[in-house]
Amino acid sequence: NAGVMQNPRHLVRRRGQEARLRCSPMKGHSHVYWYRQLPEEGLKFMVYLQKENIIDESGMPKERFSAEFPKEGPSILRIQQVVRGDSAAYFCASYGRTVGSPLHFGNGTRLTVT
Amino acid sequence: DQQVKQNSPSLSVQEGRISILNCDYTNSMFDYFLWYKKYPAEGPTFLISISSIKDKNEDGRFTVFLNKSAKHLSLHIVPSQPGDSAVYFCAATNSGAGSYQLTFGKGTKLSVIP
């Protein structure tokens, strides 16, 4: 897991604030995925990005959530006007696009909305 | 609509014995399956995968079996060790869809008793 770096590890926000979660993929990986895990649930796909492109955002809530993966720097998952239901663990994963290679996950950001 | 189901939330096994974790899926488009292991406060770690063109894949103590007609796969761990105690997630994807979006089960918590 050390290859995919996520920060912060823990984030506390009050209702209505903005949350920014960062992810640096493994070296050489240009494909980034964001997943969310609610308590007692499996991981749910949110969005798939390549550098400067959103490829698949079918799992993203339509409002308040956005993601980017700029040419330089980490991928950012942004949640505006957070609500208590946004409290979850958010995991980033990267992929090297080699046939048969798995997704490699980071250790996640645990968001708590108070 | 849960497309990947892990019906046993927990499993306890004696050290040295076999652990068998089960997973069922409903989407016939899934053709690549993975098992991830997760410790508390860490991200999922890839364990083993299997393509639908195979019915078995083995890696050390871990073997995954795939029964396509039953839409069922299982992970066997032999012999089980206390360090195997973790939550195990089954995941599936349609490799032809292009986005490598994984659908996860809710996980099975394995406890290996010394």
Side-chain angles (χ1 to χ4, degrees):
Chain A
N1 287 341
V4 178
M5 303 303 295
Q6 289 189 249
N7 67 82
R9 289 296 309 273
H10 301 274
L11 183 61
V12 179
R13 284 288 178 265
R14 291 188 180 148
R15 278 180 298 170
Q17 291 184 319
E18 179 180 288
R20 283 190 178 230
L21 289 65
R22 294 174 189 78
C23 168
S24 296
M26 284 183 73
K27 188 176 179 180
H29 287 187
S30 59
H31 302 258
V32 165
Y33 297 74
W34 286 92
Y35 283 77
R36 175 165 66 172
Q37 185 183 23
L38 296 169
E40 309 301 324
E41 297 285 325
L43 284 77
K44 304 283 188 192
F45 168 79
M46 298 182 75
V47 62
Y48 163 41
L49 310 105
Q50 294 179 20
K51 287 281 186 182
E52 300 184 281
N53 282 307
I54 297 174
I55 307 301
D56 180 354
E57 55 181 348
S58 58
M60 286 275 271
K62 298 298 179 205
E63 297 177 349
R64 302 188 297 108
F65 285 72
S66 62
E68 62 176 8
F69 189 16
K71 188 176 179 181
E72 301 291 336
S75 175
I76 306 287
L77 179 67
R78 183 180 175 209
I79 312 172
Q80 295 178 290
Q81 298 176 314
V82 296
V83 301
R84 288 221 173 101
D86 297 332
S87 296
Y90 292 82
F91 292 96
C92 171
S94 72
Y95 172 47
R97 209 60 174 176
T98 304
V99 173
S101 64
L103 288 184
H104 294 272
F105 284 84
N107 282 333
T109 293
R110 273 126 191 102
L111 172 66
T112 302
V113 179
T114 61
Chain B
D1 174 26
Q2 231 189 315
Q3 298 184 65
V4 176
K5 296 179 184 178
Q6 294 178 255
N7 291 321
S8 298
S10 63
L11 174 68
S12 288
V13 171
Q14 207 70 31
E15 180 180 3
R17 307 293 287 267
I18 184 172
S19 294
I20 300 176
L21 296 93
N22 293 304
C23 177
D24 297 292
Y25 62 97
T26 57
N27 189 337
S28 57
M29 297 300 291
F30 289 152
D31 62 355
Y32 187 60
F33 305 89
L34 308 90
W35 284 94
Y36 281 84
K37 172 181 178 180
K38 187 180 180 303
Y39 294 117
E42 292 186 11
T45 302
F46 171 72
L47 264 181
I48 192 169
S49 63
I50 188 166
S51 164
S52 60
I53 62 172
K54 293 183 161 185
D55 54 18
K56 176 182 174 181
N57 190 25
E58 196 170 350
D59 183 1
R61 297 186 297 114
F62 302 91
T63 303
V64 56
F65 295 92
L66 175 62
N67 182 334
K68 281 180 294 184
S69 60
K71 292 192 175 69
H72 176 84
L73 61 156
S74 60
L75 174 68
H76 292 211
I77 307 173
V78 183
S80 302
Q81 299 173 354
D84 297 328
S85 297
V87 177
Y88 289 77
F89 290 98
C90 171
T93 189
N94 172 7
S95 62
S99 73
Y100 202 173
Q101 178 187 138
L102 295 180
T103 300
F104 282 84
K106 291 188 176 184
T108 296
K109 183 176 182 180
L110 173 66
S111 300
V112 180
I113 304 160

